[in-house]
Each structure stands twice: as C-alpha cells, then as structure tokens.
Amino acid sequence: MKEVNSCKTAIENCKRTKTFSVAHLYKEEKTMDMHIHDCYEVYYSISGGKQFLIDNCFYPISPGDLFIINQYESHKLTQIDNSVHERIVLCIYPDFVKRISTPDTDLDYCFSNRESRFRHKVSLDKAQQKRFLYYISKITSAKGYAHDIVEQAAFMELLAMMNALFDVNAAESNVSDYKYNQHIEAILGYVNQNIDQNISVGQLAGNFFLSESYICRIFKQATGTTINKYITARRISIAKAHLNEGDSVGEAFDKSGFGDYSSFFKAFTKAVGVSPKKYANLSSEIPAKL
C-alpha cells in the first residue's frame, strides 16, 4: 500500500476502497477546524509538540503518543506553531474492521467500547513505538505477489496490538492526565450535557459569571476554535451518528439541537459536503457486516 502525504487524501482513499489508508505527514497541512470523519482515525505522533481536543477532552501530544478517534468524534489540533510536526495517520473504514474481526477477537473493541472514563491517548514505550512502526512499514512496503494479504495481515496485527494497549490503558485511566483550564473544562462539560438545548455565548457567560468577551477569548485560546463553531461541529457529529443508525432526517435534526431546520441543513451540507437526506441515503447503502 502506498502511503500518502495528506490527511484528506487518506480519508478519500479510505472511503473509496472501504478498507484503510496510511498518511505519513512531515509538514503542516492547513489546519482543519473542528471536524468529524465517517471513518476511524489512528493518530501516531513522531515529533510531538501540539495539543488535541477530542470531543470535550484535551490531550498534550508527546513523541510516541497514540490516539484512537472514533467515527463522529469531533476533534481538532490546537496550539499550532510553525515547528515541523511529523506524524502517521491511519484512516480506517469501520465496517472493514468489523468484517475482519472474529467471534473470539473483536478488533473493533478500542473504537466501539467507550466507557465514561475512556482515554483516547496511550503513550507507547520505545519497544512499542518500534513495533508500531514495524507494522506500518510492513503495510506500506508490501509489493508484488500477495501484497494485499501481507498488508491485511500486518494491519490486523497492528489492530490487535492497539486493542491490547488500550485495554490496559482503560484499566489504568486517570482523569488527572487531561490538561484542562478549569473554566474550559466546565464550559465543555456544560455544552456537551446540554447540546440538544439552545446554547448561546451570552447564556454561557451568565452561567459561569464571566463576560462574553472573556469567555470567547479563553475558549479560543484553549481550543483553537470558537464556541459557536465547536457547538456546530458537535451537533453535526450527533446528527451523522443518528442518520447512520437509521433515524430519519427529521429525527436527526430534532436530536442534534439545532434551533431551526434551515440552520441544520446549511451547516450539515457545508461540513459534510452533501445534504442530510443524501447522506442518509448513502449510509443506508453501506453493506451490512458479513
């Protein structure tokens, strides 16, 4: 499998092949705002140096950190600087992982099993880093006869490794590992608990006894995005999840918290690239697990 040098290309390849794609990134692409994928994302940091906001959790990024991001989880790199940031990103088609799982081994476990204290990050030691990079090299260097079998076998071993690591990581979970500004932690928690309700900057400012200008400033500094953009991304994430579960467009709209259908339609279409109805139709065409 040829590795690519763009996250967007990796996502497109993943959707086209309905399997997985690998991107090795050496320099900064134009930073995406808060966004959501239909595919799973595995993010491995080689050089570290930035910060991740995934749903309502902040994580510092160090060399050797591995992040597991589920489909529909909104995420964004924050605290962008001009330094070189080398990383590897795997985009994975969810149904592919389910198809290659067995009754005894659920390779989808680290994506689908999300308890309340779940951490998206695990820090790999030197031996684990070498093992991870070995599997990536095996996937991206496979050529000639049986290359597809070699790629899939290495990919399955990589998933088995990740599941084992995240299973241990969940048992040792400690929320003190998250790096929060106390105000931002409270704001993110409030937004996510009330995402289906009307939420405004003025309401948040009043609820936390802060001025509107101050709450907007500290939120942007901490997350790299605005409060309204974050709320919109979270609501689109919820709507996509409901549409994929078979809910009608109207039901997804009702459950996502948008104030009116016009705003929902425009925001969804702009972020996803297709209308809610077309997205629902495309989702219904995805074949069931074999």
Side-chain angles (χ1 to χ4, degrees), residues 4 10-11 21 23 34 46 49 79 111-112 132 141 162 188-189 205 235 244 249 252-253 261 284:
V4 298
I11 293 168
S21 183
M34 205 75 184
I46 296 175
Q79 297 186 352
F111 297 104
S112 58
F132 179 89
S141 63
M162 291 193 306
L188 289 170
R235 286 174 171 164
N244 274 275
V249 173
F253 161 65
Y261 186 81
S284 67

Side-chain angles (χ1 to χ4, degrees), residues 162-271:
M162 291 193 306
N163 275 281
L165 287 171
F166 273 84
D167 192 39
V168 172
N169 192 53
E172 299 174 349
S173 178
N174 183 347
V175 292
S176 66
D177 289 344
Y178 302 148
K179 304 298 182 182
Y180 284 122
N181 171 297
Q182 286 187 341
H183 277 144
I184 301 304
E185 177 186 8
I187 293 165
L188 289 170
Y190 180 88
V191 167
N192 281 275
Q193 290 168 13
N194 298 277
I195 197 69
D196 59 341
Q197 306 296 317
N198 180 43
I199 304 172
S200 67
V201 172
Q203 178 187 349
L204 288 171
N207 190 70
F208 292 99
F209 304 103
L210 303 169
S211 71
E212 291 187 26
S213 60
Y214 179 74
I215 200 170
C216 287
R217 184 168 69 253
I218 63 171
F219 193 92
K220 181 68 180 290
Q221 288 174 344
T223 67
T225 191
T226 67
I227 292 173
N228 287 331
K229 285 182 178 179
Y230 176 81
I231 291 172
T232 298
R234 294 293 298 122
R235 286 174 171 164
I236 292 170
S237 173
I238 292 167
K240 289 178 74 173
H242 283 296
L243 291 172
N244 274 275
E245 290 170 1
D247 284 359
S248 68
V249 173
E251 289 170 330
F253 161 65
D254 289 336
K255 295 173 181 176
S256 62
F258 280 93
D260 61 84
Y261 186 81
S262 177
S263 298
F264 165 66
F265 181 88
K266 290 178 181 178
F268 190 100
T269 304
K270 180 179 179 181

Side-chain angles (χ1 to χ4, degrees), residues 2 13 19 24 40 45-46 76 79 94 96 107 112 121 129 156 160 190 212 243-244 254 259 288:
K2 182 180 178 181
N13 289 348
T19 56
H24 192 164
Y40 297 147
S45 175
I46 296 175
K76 175 179 170 53
Q79 297 186 352
F96 178 65
L107 295 173
S112 58
K121 182 179 92 168
Q129 291 176 36
M156 292 174 72
Y190 180 88
E212 291 187 26
L243 291 172
N244 274 275
D254 289 336

